[in-house]
């Protein structure tokens, strides 16, 4: 009598119970993988809610202390700072002022939380009167950012942030040569120990609008297509990353993260020895919030799925506006 032929390999055996699934899980997202963005605004009297980003606020220096204490309690160990100055000008001078809003914020955090990892984003869109990521000049094609003049101000900003006490410098403006310029400036000013996290691959994405509300950094004219990358290009990402590695970047980042998982994968395969970050953008945060409010998605599951996908693709850490909520969810799931 012939017996029925059943499959010898049964992958479902390893999915049978939650305990088994947890045991063999290849990728996990934990508190230590997440970085929370914070927006610090000069001259605020109390924190101001960001309408397009529920649960997030522009913070005064006074409110920053309360926020940092909450973050520490949740187990978040790293923040990335964005500043909104009291006054903007064509050169974004508050960015490199030793009394600038981010310089003050770094010093405030350092007093409250000496062990907090402080990443200082280096860009000019929040500081310039025109909202572009560098110094604008006129060309035969109209107004555009002058790359090399901007580099001169980037290095001043990096050194100022380093003096204030930043742990990591993160240039995000996609200027050619930004890593080399900042590395040289840090080394010349006795900050050779500070690492550079380069936004090596930053696309001209439609998913940044809420961030621009939060940082008050929308361009007053034109767009950023001449310096941020074309969304259709993949090989160019490898070229951008290679340049930054040659210039001395210690860590790389892809922004946005979730809609560019293929790029995260390719960068990680090319540079497996370098830590790689992914930025979960404000626009996707806002979309998940809106859909969850309507009951169209399970917010917790959607966020877990998206963050895990970035880890699975090769990201070692993730900048996300969901850092606090994710940690709340994780902490509440752990038995006392």
């Amino acid at each position: 009598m012939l017996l029925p032929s059943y499959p010898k390999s049964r992958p479902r055996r390893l999915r049978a119970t939650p305990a088994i699934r947890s045991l063999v899980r290849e990728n996990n997202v934990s508190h230590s993988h997440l970085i929370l963005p914070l927006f610090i605004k000069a001259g605020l009297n109390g924190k101001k809610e960001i309408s397009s980003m529920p649960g997030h606020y522009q913070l005064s220096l006074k409110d920053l202390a309360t926020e940092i204490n909450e973050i520490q309690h949740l187990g978040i160990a790293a923040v990335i700072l964005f500043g909104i100055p009291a006054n903007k000008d064509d050169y974004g001078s508050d960015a490199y002022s030793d009394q600038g809003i981010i310089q003050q914020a770094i010093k405030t955090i350092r007093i409250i939380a000496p062990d907090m990892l402080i990443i200082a984003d280096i860009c000019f869109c929040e500081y310039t009167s025109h909202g572009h990521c560098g110094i604008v000049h006129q060309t035969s094609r109209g107004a555009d950012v002058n790359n090399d003049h901007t580099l001169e101000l980037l290095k001043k900003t990096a050194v100022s942030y380093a003096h204030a006490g930043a742990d990591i410098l993160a240039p995000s403006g996609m200027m050619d040569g930004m890593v080399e310029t900042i590395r040289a400036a840090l080394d010349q000013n006795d900050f050779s120990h500070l690492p550079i996290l380069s936004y090596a691959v930053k696309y001209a994405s439609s998913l940044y609008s809420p961030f621009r509300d939060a940082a008050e950094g929308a361009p007053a004219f034109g767009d950023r297509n001449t310096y941020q990358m074309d969304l259709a290009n993949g090989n160019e990402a490898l070229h951008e990353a290679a340049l930054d590695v040659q210039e001395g970047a210690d860590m790389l980042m892809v922004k946005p993260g979730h809609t560019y998982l293929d790029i995260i994968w390719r960068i990680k395969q090319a540079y497996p020895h370098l830590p790689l970050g992914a930025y979960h953008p404000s626009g996707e945060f806002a979309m998940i919030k809106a859909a969850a409010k309507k009951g169209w998605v399970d917010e917790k599951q959607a966020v877990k799925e998206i963050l895990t996908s970035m880890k699975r693709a090769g990201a070692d850490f993730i900048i996300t506006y969901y850092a606090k909520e994710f940690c709340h969810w994780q902490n509440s799931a752990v038995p006392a």
Side-chain angles (χ1 to χ4, degrees):
M1 181 178 177
L2 294 177
L3 296 174
S5 178
Y6 293 113
K8 293 181 180 179
S9 179
R10 293 181 180 269
R12 286 184 57 187
R13 292 181 185 128
L14 301 183
R15 305 173 196 148
T17 69
I20 294 176
R21 291 196 297 272
S22 178
L23 178 69
V24 301
R25 185 166 292 136
E26 297 174 20
N27 294 283
N28 285 285
V29 179
S30 75
H31 302 61
S32 62
H33 301 139
L34 304 181
I35 299 167
L36 178 67
L38 295 177
F39 300 93
I40 322 301
K41 184 173 180 177
L44 269 186
N45 183 19
K47 62 184 183 180
K48 179 182 177 183
E49 187 170 15
I50 303 163
S51 61
S52 56
M53 298 174 63
H56 286 268
Y57 300 83
Q58 292 177 333
L59 302 170
S60 68
L61 289 172
K62 183 178 180 181
D63 295 311
L64 181 59
T66 302
E67 184 74 11
I68 293 299
N69 286 327
E70 181 184 352
I71 289 168
Q72 283 190 303
H73 181 72
L74 287 170
I76 296 171
V79 294
I80 184 166
L81 304 182
F82 301 93
I84 305 102
N87 298 296
K88 303 188 179 194
D89 57 37
D90 289 348
Y91 299 95
S93 58
D94 196 84
Y96 46 88
S97 166
D98 288 341
Q99 299 304 313
I101 185 61
I102 288 301
Q103 288 83 345
Q104 294 182 63
I106 292 169
K107 293 173 183 177
T108 298
I109 295 171
R110 188 60 68 219
I111 293 170
I112 300 165
D115 297 327
M116 179 70 67
L117 185 68
I118 304 173
I119 305 171
D121 178 270
I122 303 178
C123 193
F124 289 110
C125 59
E126 306 104 301
Y127 299 93
T128 54
S129 52
H130 46 70
H132 277 281
C133 301
I135 307 309
V136 170
H137 68 160
Q138 292 296 322
T139 72
S140 58
R141 297 182 301 276
D144 196 8
V145 170
N146 185 303
N147 191 94
D148 295 358
H149 287 178
T150 301
L151 293 181
E152 292 301 309
L153 300 185
L154 285 175
K155 66 183 182 182
K156 290 176 65 175
T157 304
V159 171
S160 182
Y161 289 169
H163 276 296
D167 296 301
I168 298 174
L169 288 309
S172 62
M174 290 296 287
M175 296 295 115
D176 296 337
M178 64 185 185
V179 172
E180 184 174 30
T181 299
I182 291 172
R183 182 75 274 159
L186 291 173
D187 292 351
Q188 291 164 8
N189 287 274
D190 296 325
F191 293 111
S192 58
H193 62 287
L194 290 184
I196 295 174
L197 164 59
S198 175
Y199 287 66
V201 181
K202 185 176 180 181
Y203 285 90
S205 172
S206 63
L207 297 174
Y208 302 154
S209 294
F211 172 91
R212 292 172 183 172
D213 291 342
E216 299 181 14
F221 57 86
D223 54 41
R224 295 177 179 155
N225 289 336
T226 64
Y227 44 101
Q228 293 179 356
M229 287 178 53
D230 186 333
L231 63 89
N233 293 354
N235 293 334
E236 184 184 7
L238 292 174
H239 179 56
E240 287 279 5
L243 289 173
D244 283 3
V245 171
Q246 292 167 13
E247 292 176 13
D250 301 283
M251 296 177 276
L252 304 174
M253 183 148 64
V254 175
K255 183 179 181 180
H258 183 219
T259 46
Y260 294 85
L261 296 178
D262 59 317
I263 303 302
I264 295 173
W265 171 259
R266 292 175 70 177
I267 298 296
K268 193 60 178 179
Q269 293 304 299
Y271 303 102
H273 60 291
L274 283 185
L276 178 61
Y279 201 127
H280 186 213
S282 58
E284 191 162 72
F285 171 86
M287 287 191 290
I288 298 169
K289 281 290 182 185
K293 187 175 181 179
K294 290 284 190 179
W296 294 339
V297 297
D298 182 315
E299 185 177 18
K300 292 182 184 179
Q301 289 303 314
V303 172
K304 180 179 179 181
E305 183 175 348
I306 290 168
L307 297 183
T308 302
S309 76
M310 288 186 273
K311 284 284 291 178
R312 189 181 64 240
D316 298 295
F317 55 90
I318 302 167
I319 298 174
T320 176
Y321 301 96
Y322 267 111
K324 287 172 65 175
E325 285 167 287
F326 185 88
C327 290
H328 271 299
W329 298 333
Q330 292 293 93
N331 292 343
S332 63
V334 176

